[in-house]
Amino acid sequence: MPNNVDGKGVAISVKIYERLLAICPADFRREYGPAMKQLFRDQCRDAWSEAQGRGLAVLWLRVLPDLAKTSIVEHLTSLHRRESLFMKTVQAIRADPRLRATFIRVFALVFIGALVWSDCETYWTPKVYLSTVRIEVQKDIRDIPIEQDPYFLTTQFKIIKSYSILTNVIATLHLYEKLAAQTGDTPWTMDQTYLNLFDKISVQRTRMTSLTEISVKNPDPKLAADIANAIVNTYRESCLEKWKQERDMSIAEGHSTRRSIPMEEIPVVTIRDPARPTMRPIESSLEIFSRWMFGGTLAALVAGGVGVWLGHLIRRFSHRQGTPP
Amino acid sequence: MRTIDINPEDMLPLTPAVFHILLALTEGERHGYAIMREVAESTNRQINMGPGTLYGTIKRLLEAGLIEESDRRPDAEIDDERRRYYCLTGLGQRVVEAEACRYNELAKLVRRKRLLGKLTKTAPAGGI
């Protein structure tokens, strides 16, 4: 090994190389990282004694692709090993009849559990219907495009779901009684009803259009449609009310009617597609059943695999206990 | 032992890196740096292995049972205790011999075809 004192370049290069070793898999790095660093240090010393900085530069040009290649190969190797755990489990199940029996028992148990649960979920959970009303919300002054006010629609979405609008709808449709009755409860307070209704409403822009859709979920399809239509009517009335108030105020102040009112704040609401009761629930019984069965089969397979490994470990442990020292 | 079951011929042909590492170890146990230098010198620096290639190959050779880590240490004066020494196993020895025989057969074929003479004539100055 060369005895010359390390140049600064060598020390820095070794430090950088040590950091770069982080791209290799942890197992490989733990086993061979120190040896690779040592070898690189030796190579640096040789390169430095031959051509100093230029020698180090040439060495780096050789070592960097080498490190990248090694990292990729070792990562692929470790990935392949991880996959083989699954194959080992399959082989163990095939080879050992007792492990196979364990797998079948655990699989059957979890699968039957999922089957029973999916039946309960399908028949006991009330079906939920979705009713949607589509409206067009525009600013009153037609020559100011919505694009110039990026927050216009977002603000309207918030207003539609606001406390003042929804409490109006609740009072009009007596929802504090109807919604509470659906859960078998006594009539709710206004705040309770508002919170419940708020979660069942979604307001969003219809994709690829300038329309806004207000959707309401409810176990009663007719009530869902009524709520959606009532929200739009209340929202439209509130817009008109606001416009009238502004107009009256400006008249009282002696201005001409429309010119002095901040019209851009007042939206025009047009109903394009009113909500109708739909007979198709959001998720059909078959869809709920399929979802649970798919999840149940996966869970049963995983549980079966875990059962096999646990059985294997218990057998090994009991075998060791029974073996004389 | 796995060495009894495995036929060395099944492991051929070896990659140049593997063959040169095994060749370097035929003369006795060596550490990584010594293997790398031996390979570079014996191939006129045509094969210059980086640390990644060297230790990646060593890892695979250890797993295949062709080499093993040596417990014996050389003189304390010339030894760096951080270094790890490797030596050939019985299987490794038989595999490198089988590969050498294969190269020998290949060389005979080249001679029989008189390729070497043609190449020498057509090769530029300083070539083969």
Side-chain angles (χ1 to χ4, degrees), chain A residues 31 42-43 46 66 74 81, chain B residues 33 52-53 59 63 84:
Chain A
E31 186 67 25
D42 292 337
Q43 285 183 312
D46 287 350
D66 172 73
E74 294 305 326
R81 274 190 193 149
Chain B
Y33 180 61
T53 304
K59 181 190 155 204
E63 284 169 355
R84 294 159 74 167

Side-chain angles (χ1 to χ4, degrees), chain B residues 33-72:
Chain B
Y33 180 61
I35 295 170
M36 191 208 72
R37 289 197 69 139
E38 168 82 24
V39 172
E41 281 166 20
S42 64
T43 60
N44 286 329
R45 292 191 173 240
Q46 280 180 355
I47 296 181
N48 255 325
M49 277 186 282
T53 304
L54 181 71
Y55 281 101
T57 312
I58 282 176
K59 181 190 155 204
R60 276 178 278 286
L61 290 175
L62 283 168
E63 284 169 355
L66 298 185
I67 63 170
E68 61 190 1
E69 210 168 316
S70 171
D71 296 330
R72 284 186 301 172

Side-chain angles (χ1 to χ4, degrees), chain A residues 45-63:
Chain A
R45 283 172 178 161
D46 287 350
W48 184 261
S49 61
E50 277 174 24
Q52 298 208 325
R54 208 176 123 263
L56 279 184
V58 172
L59 177 66
W60 268 113
L61 285 177
R62 215 154 37 80
V63 160

Side-chain angles (χ1 to χ4, degrees), chain A residues 18-256:
Chain A
E18 193 178 8
R19 292 276 169 89
L20 286 176
L21 280 175
I23 65 168
C24 293
D27 286 349
F28 181 77
R29 206 170 57 232
R30 214 173 296 123
E31 186 67 25
Y32 298 102
M36 284 169 72
K37 186 182 150 193
Q38 170 90 22
L39 178 59
F40 180 71
R41 184 184 288 124
D42 292 337
Q43 285 183 312
C44 282
R45 283 172 178 161
D46 287 350
W48 184 261
S49 61
E50 277 174 24
Q52 298 208 325
R54 208 176 123 263
L56 279 184
V58 172
L59 177 66
W60 268 113
L61 285 177
R62 215 154 37 80
V63 160
L64 280 177
D66 172 73
L67 189 62
K69 191 191 95 185
T70 306
S71 166
I72 292 167
V73 170
E74 294 305 326
H75 273 293
L76 288 175
T77 310
S78 64
L79 204 68
H80 178 71
R81 274 190 193 149
R82 251 175 266 158
E83 279 175 358
S84 71
L85 184 69
F86 171 74
M87 288 312 294
K88 272 182 192 170
T89 312
V90 173
Q91 281 162 6
I93 292 168
R94 277 186 186 164
D96 191 334
R98 283 166 67 183
L99 287 180
R100 203 182 311 150
T102 309
F103 177 80
I104 291 168
R105 268 188 222 127
V106 175
F107 179 87
L109 200 72
V110 177
F111 187 80
I112 290 167
L115 192 71
V116 172
W117 183 261
S118 63
D119 280 348
C120 297
E121 178 81 11
T122 309
Y123 293 110
W124 287 350
T125 308
K127 287 178 184 54
V128 178
Y129 298 86
L130 186 79
S131 262
T132 303
V133 57
R134 286 188 185 82
I135 56 171
E136 194 171 2
V137 184
Q138 286 178 323
K139 287 185 174 183
D140 200 30
I141 296 174
R142 304 297 165 114
D143 56 355
I144 301 175
I146 285 177
E147 285 71 27
Q148 285 182 14
D149 182 4
Y151 301 113
F152 174 75
L153 275 181
T154 324
T155 311
Q156 298 312 309
F157 293 171
K158 293 284 175 198
I159 292 171
I160 289 170
K161 284 184 85 175
S162 66
Y163 188 80
S164 62
I165 299 282
L166 292 191
T167 46
N168 243 315
V169 173
I170 290 166
T172 312
L173 296 177
H174 304 286
L175 292 180
Y176 39 84
E177 283 175 0
K178 289 179 183 171
L179 294 182
Q182 284 176 345
T183 57
D185 221 345
T186 51
W188 290 337
T189 62
M190 184 60 86
D191 285 351
Q192 270 180 312
T193 319
Y194 167 73
L195 289 173
N196 182 280
L197 186 62
F198 186 88
D199 291 338
K200 304 287 174 355
I201 297 169
S202 72
V203 184
Q204 58 186 20
R205 197 169 175 169
T206 311
R207 281 190 69 195
M208 313 293 284
T209 67
S210 59
L211 298 180
T212 299
E213 53 185 44
I214 302 165
S215 304
V216 179
K217 285 183 205 166
N218 196 276
D220 178 356
K222 189 178 175 309
L223 187 61
D226 289 346
I227 295 172
N229 289 327
I231 290 172
V232 173
N233 290 332
T234 313
Y235 169 60
R236 194 160 59 167
E237 278 165 22
S238 82
C239 292
L240 280 171
E241 194 60 37
K242 190 181 174 190
W243 184 83
K244 280 178 191 167
Q245 280 176 9
E246 298 278 351
R247 187 191 57 183
D248 294 346
M249 273 175 65
S250 64
I251 290 170
E253 285 168 8
H255 299 294
S256 64

Side-chain angles (χ1 to χ4, degrees), chain A residues 319-325:
Chain A
H319 182 69
R320 267 189 210 165
Q321 294 284 86
T323 311

